[in-house]
Amino acid sequence: DKLWVMELPSGAPRRLTRSPHETGEHSPVWSPDGRYIAYITWTEQGGDIYRIAPTGGTPERLTRQAALYTDVNYTPNGQRIVAYKAPRQPRLEEGFLYGRELVWLPAAGGPTTSVAPVGNVGFPHFTRDDNERIYFAQAGGLVSIRFDGTDRKQHVRVTGNPDYRLAGAPSNASEILISPDGERALAEVNNNIFVVDVPVLGGQTPTVSVANP
């Protein structure tokens, strides 16, 4: 679990970091301008969010408090980073993510600011031109929220074939990612990938079934 880069199409893989063996490095993501790669570390003492130049050098610690961070991503303008944050102790003792919340911090580093508590949710992401709404999948639906935790919207629900574990109810999408233009979404349902339209909001949240397409 270390960070590597490679020049396409046929360069040699090159390790970027020099962290100790016991430090895991996860979830790397490019900054929009390509100047940095942000990533997450993890040890039994907790983890942090770091960034490093793709040419290498000394990583910069961006977070100010060790915790269990997951799913780091940049806003389109590159000014903020979003991630999920949870206490380290429940993960170490029980393997669960209690107290998980969506947070943001300045891209250059600083304290994290809580957006909202979350449970089992998908990757936080954005449309191309909107730096104010964070999108993620939750309970089979595509949800968005502002950075201050307000104006929560559910844009579409995606379901699949009946699931015997749910007493025959349709299975929910496990991940939904909105397209850069905000008009479509990728949905993972029963280990298959589908493209669905994202309707303009108004009234009840629409449900799209991909059963037997």
Side-chain angles (χ1 to χ4, degrees), residues 11-12 17 28 30 43 73 81 92 107 126 140 144 154 158 162 170 175 179 184 192:
T17 58
W30 288 92
T43 70
N73 201 7
I81 288 174
L92 290 173
F126 302 86
S144 70
Q154 188 174 43
V158 183
E175 179 65 286
S179 62
R184 294 172 295 171
N192 292 296

Side-chain angles (χ1 to χ4, degrees), residues 6-201:
M6 186 184 82
E7 297 291 336
L8 294 176
S10 56
R14 172 173 54 87
R15 186 176 167 192
L16 273 182
T17 58
R18 298 177 181 274
S19 63
H21 172 74
E22 62 271 14
T23 300
E25 299 167 351
H26 311 278
S27 304
V29 62
W30 288 92
S31 64
D33 61 8
R35 293 180 58 199
Y36 296 102
I37 298 169
Y39 63 99
I40 292 165
T41 63
W42 174 251
T43 70
E44 290 189 356
Q45 287 70 48
D48 282 285
I49 299 174
Y50 284 79
R51 73 177 181 182
I52 190 171
T55 53
T58 302
E60 298 177 65
R61 182 187 177 202
L62 301 181
T63 44
R64 302 295 183 258
Q65 179 186 32
L68 174 58
Y69 295 95
T70 57
D71 299 303
V72 63
N73 201 7
Y74 281 91
T75 55
N77 63 12
Q79 295 181 3
R80 296 178 178 181
I81 288 174
V82 296
Y84 298 121
K85 178 182 179 182
R88 56 176 283 277
Q89 204 63 28
R91 173 64 174 171
L92 290 173
E93 294 179 353
E94 302 178 50
F96 293 106
L97 299 180
Y98 297 133
R100 198 179 191 208
E101 58 181 342
L102 175 62
V103 300
W104 71 268
L105 66 152
T112 58
T113 299
S114 178
V115 177
V118 294
N120 184 20
V121 293
F123 184 70
H125 59 289
F126 302 86
T127 55
R128 181 188 299 121
D129 301 317
D130 190 348
N131 295 285
E132 301 302 322
R133 298 199 71 85
I134 310 166
Y135 291 80
F136 52 89
Q138 186 175 43
L142 177 64
V143 174
S144 70
I145 194 172
R146 293 189 181 275
F147 274 85
D148 62 1
T150 64
D151 197 25
R152 184 184 187 277
K153 297 178 180 179
Q154 188 174 43
H155 299 266
V156 64
R157 290 190 71 251
V158 183
T159 62
N161 289 310
D163 190 331
Y164 72 92
R165 294 167 299 182
L166 303 175
S171 54
N172 287 326
S174 56
E175 179 65 286
I176 307 176
L177 301 172
I178 198 165
S179 62
D181 61 12
E183 296 182 359
R184 294 172 295 171
L186 289 176
E188 180 182 352
V189 187
N190 303 131
N191 297 316
N192 292 296
I193 303 298
F194 300 88
V195 178
V196 300
D197 291 330
V198 178
V200 177
L201 283 177

